[in-house]
Amino acid sequence: MPEPLALHITAEQLAAVKYDSNGLVPAIAQDITTRSVLMMAWMNADTLRATLAEGRMVYWSRSRQEVWRKGDTSGDRQFVREAYYDCDGDTLLFKVDQEGRGACHTGERSCFYRAFGEDE
Amino acid sequence: MPEPLALHITAEQLAAVKYDSNGLVPAIAQDITTRSVLMMAWMNADTLRATLAEGRMVYWSRSRQEVWRKGDTSGDRQFVREAYYDCDGDTLLFKVDQEGRGACHTGERSCFYRAFGEDE
């Protein structure tokens, strides 16, 4: 069973993150073992801080307009192992240990399970 | 030298893509060989069609408000090998052959070269 791992970040690093006009930043979750891209969702400043402090992915649900502690309902939590911000500071990348069956509410391991250029 | 590869997609697949209020959808580029996440940028419906037809990443630059045919200036093009859309249809993932030195304008191979939790 993976354990949460808090990341200690500097005030400068937190200040480097840029939020959009809704106060949100995109956060990509990548499986640290398989390197598969699992999902992309959004964080605000509070859920980013919660993610780093708790060592698990805490998103902001745009559809529900509420804190989305990934896995609290499904059991399929995402434990943070490494966290990156990009050159512009406007996108985040988290390498995670994905618990359970996977990241997607459909039961697929990755949300990106449908390919263009294939018959459905 | 990698060659462009056009992807044939169905009208249903194109219609499944959802754009935000600015007509944009986030597009993640992942190195198909190393599986490193290279960057995230944005596409509109026209540049998504161009990306699939030309077999190379064509973004919409939000800062310049213009079509951004990645690599036309730097020479570091991104050739599309596989393309996916997520369960909600509101994020795209492209597996690419990254040409040249990398994806980032800083000279780094990936735009996600700065980690939280490390001294800078």
Side-chain angles (χ1 to χ4, degrees):
Chain A
M1 178 67 69
E3 288 301 316
L5 173 77
L7 290 180
H8 301 283
I9 64 167
T10 65
E12 287 77 7
Q13 288 178 327
L14 258 192
V17 178
K18 294 186 196 122
Y19 301 90
D20 69 12
S21 58
N22 296 311
L24 301 175
V25 61
I28 302 166
Q30 182 181 26
D31 189 305
I32 195 167
T33 307
T34 66
R35 312 199 79 175
S36 167
V37 176
L38 295 169
M39 60 181 286
M40 196 207 84
W42 298 78
M43 293 181 179
N44 61 22
D46 286 343
T47 65
L48 171 57
R49 274 191 292 265
T51 294
L52 296 168
E54 299 176 22
R56 56 177 286 209
M57 297 296 275
V58 183
Y59 301 102
W60 177 257
S61 168
R62 297 183 304 171
S63 56
R64 298 192 303 273
Q65 288 285 304
E66 64 180 23
V67 174
W68 173 23
R69 217 166 233 98
K70 175 75 180 162
D72 268 1
T73 306
S74 65
D76 300 336
R77 294 171 293 182
Q78 296 174 326
F79 295 101
V80 176
R81 292 297 171 248
E82 299 170 15
Y84 299 84
Y85 55 113
D86 77 347
C87 51
D88 297 325
D90 63 3
T91 307
L92 307 177
L93 171 67
F94 294 85
K95 297 190 183 176
V96 304
D97 267 329
Q98 173 67 56
E99 191 179 45
R101 62 179 186 171
C104 191
H105 72 285
T106 61
E108 301 280 344
R109 184 155 180 86
S110 163
C111 294
F112 299 97
Y113 60 89
R114 296 180 297 182
F116 289 123
E118 286 179 352
D119 293 331
E120 295 212 289
Chain B
M1 178 67 68
E3 288 300 316
L5 173 76
L7 290 180
H8 301 283
I9 63 169
T10 65
E12 287 78 6
Q13 289 179 327
L14 257 191
V17 178
K18 294 186 195 119
Y19 301 90
D20 69 12
S21 59
N22 296 312
L24 300 176
V25 62
I28 301 165
Q30 181 181 27
D31 190 305
I32 195 167
T33 306
T34 65
R35 312 198 80 176
S36 167
V37 176
L38 296 169
M39 60 181 285
M40 197 208 83
W42 298 79
M43 293 182 179
N44 61 21
D46 285 342
T47 64
L48 171 57
R49 274 191 291 266
T51 293
L52 296 167
E54 299 176 21
R56 56 178 283 209
M57 297 296 275
V58 183
Y59 301 102
W60 177 257
S61 168
R62 297 182 304 170
S63 56
R64 297 193 304 271
Q65 288 287 303
E66 65 180 23
V67 174
W68 173 21
R69 216 165 233 99
K70 174 76 179 160
D72 267 2
T73 305
S74 66
D76 300 337
R77 294 170 294 182
Q78 297 175 325
F79 295 101
V80 177
R81 292 296 172 248
E82 299 170 14
Y84 299 83
Y85 55 114
D86 78 348
C87 51
D88 297 325
D90 62 4
T91 307
L92 308 177
L93 171 66
F94 295 85
K95 297 190 183 176
V96 303
D97 267 329
Q98 174 66 57
E99 191 179 47
R101 62 180 186 172
C104 191
H105 72 285
T106 62
E108 301 280 344
R109 184 154 180 87
S110 162
C111 293
F112 298 97
Y113 59 90
R114 294 179 299 182
F116 289 123
E118 287 179 351
D119 294 330
E120 293 213 288

